[in-house]
Amino acid sequence: MKLILKTALTAASFGVCVLASTAQAQNLVTNGSFTGGLTGWTPAAATTNVATGTCSFNGAAQPGTETASGSAGFTTANAELALGSVILTSAGSRSCVLYQDIAIPVGATTLTLSGDFGTRAGGAGVVSTSDRAMWVGVYPTTSVPNYQQAPLSGTNRIIVSGANNTALTPAAIASFSVAPYAGTTIRLAIINAMQSPGSGGLAPVANGYSVAGASNVQAVVAVSPPAPVPTLSEWAMILLGMTLAGAAAWQISRKQVVRTA
């Protein structure tokens, strides 16, 4: 009898219990390594707070050449990278953006941004490191963001300070909650920005420009899959478990009746 009861309970528990779902990491970025170019990405100038000038982005095999400025690219551990430049022709600031819209899965809570980045000044004029930088964050899909725009995640974004890099290096990652945007689409943007001296109030540096590079860009979310619905075979196991459990209970009650008779 103990064997019958044990078998019944094991079968029932096997059929009824759902295995614990493990959170699965998903990288939401398309072509973050820029294999074969900028497929999946859209280059554009920011739609607000834009001084006159030019914006450019191109994909290349490392180290590559930034096509608009003719500047050499960056060495990197990755085979390919994206290169961009910004040039100012009037006082103010200009944000040149490479973006793609990513769908946040239902059930996602936290998103982690990472990537390899680098910047440097170019041209006959030297642009101060305090007048150029790169920002990587998530924004609404309603416009092309500028570097001064607050990201959806508040202050959490990757900021790559202006430097004179020769190689792309991993940036400090940025993690933040995307629970409010689960089930919606948001805009991942790499922003190469430059301002003229005097916090944008003076004339731009003649023949100066900022070059930026990016590769291995990732936006990873952890998603817990919904509890699975039992399949036909699982329902069969449930019914078998219930049948065996009922038979065991009947046998126990029958023995009790025999003993009291």
Side-chain angles (χ1 to χ4, degrees):
M1 179 53 59
K2 287 183 179 178
L3 181 59
I4 294 175
L5 182 58
K6 184 176 180 181
T7 304
L9 293 175
T10 301
S13 62
F14 181 82
V16 175
C17 290
V18 177
L19 293 175
S21 297
T22 338
Q24 299 176 346
Q26 297 180 25
N27 179 20
L28 306 180
V29 178
T30 299
N31 191 25
S33 60
F34 300 100
T35 304
L38 302 183
T39 301
W41 296 87
T42 300
T47 49
T48 56
N49 298 334
V50 178
T52 58
T54 64
C55 285
S56 176
F57 283 98
N58 65 279
Q62 74 92 20
T65 300
E66 200 286 310
T67 53
S69 62
S71 174
F74 303 84
T75 59
T76 169
N78 310 297
E80 300 182 59
L81 71 165
L83 295 168
S85 68
V86 53
I87 299 172
L88 285 177
T89 56
S90 66
S93 64
R94 188 170 183 83
S95 296
C96 298
V97 186
L98 189 62
Y99 73 85
Q100 70 172 257
D101 294 341
I102 56 176
I104 306 300
V106 173
T109 55
T110 301
L111 185 145
T112 300
L113 285 177
S114 63
D116 300 339
F117 304 101
T119 66
R120 72 161 163 270
V126 177
V127 180
S128 168
T129 55
S130 61
D131 289 330
R132 54 189 172 81
M134 185 189 303
W135 286 260
V136 184
V138 292
Y139 302 84
T141 59
T142 50
S143 65
V144 180
N146 69 81
Y147 82 97
Q148 296 171 317
Q149 182 175 338
L152 290 176
S153 57
T155 58
N156 291 312
R157 56 182 171 177
I158 295 174
I159 300 176
V160 184
S161 299
N164 283 303
N165 303 128
T166 57
L168 301 187
T169 56
I173 63 174
S175 293
F176 45 84
S177 171
V178 287
Y181 313 109
T184 70
T185 299
I186 60 179
R187 180 157 292 173
L188 168 64
I190 301 171
I191 304 173
N192 179 26
M194 187 174 78
Q195 66 180 9
S196 59
S199 299
L202 302 177
V205 175
N207 302 314
Y209 55 85
S210 175
V211 177
S215 192
N216 193 31
V217 181
Q218 299 187 44
V220 177
V221 293
V223 181
S224 296
V229 176
T231 63
L232 287 177
S233 60
E234 288 169 338
W235 281 118
M237 288 300 299
I238 293 171
L239 291 174
L240 175 61
M242 292 174 65
T243 301
L244 290 174
W250 179 79
Q251 286 285 350
I252 292 171
S253 63
R254 184 171 176 274
K255 261 200 166 179
Q256 288 174 343
V257 170
V258 171
R259 284 175 182 171
T260 56

